[in-house]
Amino acid sequence: MGENGPMSLNPGQTCQSCGACCAAYRVDFSIYEWEPEGGPVPEGFAEPINGNTCRMRGTDYVPIRCAALTGTIGARVGCGIYEWRPSPCRELEPGSYGCEKARARHGLPPLDG
């Protein structure tokens, strides 16, 4: 890490060497973000859980690991549907409370040091 903490890092590079959030949380989102309902999230990566909500496959099992996650957590990862990922994935920011909590669950150090 640089002296300026996580904000000095390229968020894409930070996330591509981590992936902890993709293996720490259940990811629920509006059914309208799902491909069969006109949204961008591909049908094979999510399933409806009620009339209003979908869930990313793999995020409701233990151990949690999103079906779209590729690679090794803490080393090099990617998202198989990055351009079409749901809003909860877009909203989690590097260095945020949720990010740091996920990193700690996987034994990774905080981004700021």
Side-chain angles (χ1 to χ4, degrees):
M1 278 323 123
E3 292 178 7
N4 297 326
M7 300 314 267
S8 66
L9 297 174
N10 177 319
Q13 290 174 332
T14 301
C15 294
Q16 290 174 338
S17 64
C18 180
C21 62
C22 304
Y25 300 114
R26 181 173 55 211
V27 180
D28 291 353
F29 57 95
S30 169
I31 198 160
Y32 299 110
E33 291 186 69
W34 191 41
E35 187 176 54
E37 297 294 327
V41 179
E43 183 175 6
F45 286 94
E47 57 191 340
I49 58 171
N50 64 39
N52 299 314
T53 307
C54 282
R55 180 171 294 149
M56 289 299 295
R57 292 185 188 275
T59 67
D60 58 350
Y61 304 107
V62 176
I64 293 172
R65 185 176 173 102
C66 180
L69 179 64
T70 61
T72 303
I73 296 166
R76 182 160 177 80
V77 296
C79 176
I81 62 165
Y82 187 79
E83 293 117 28
W84 306 287
R85 69 197 187 280
S87 55
C89 302
R90 293 175 184 280
E91 293 166 2
L92 189 66
E93 295 286 328
S96 67
Y97 175 78
C99 166
E100 296 298 355
K101 187 174 175 184
R103 290 178 62 80
R105 285 182 181 176
H106 288 277
L108 299 171
L111 288 179
D112 63 1

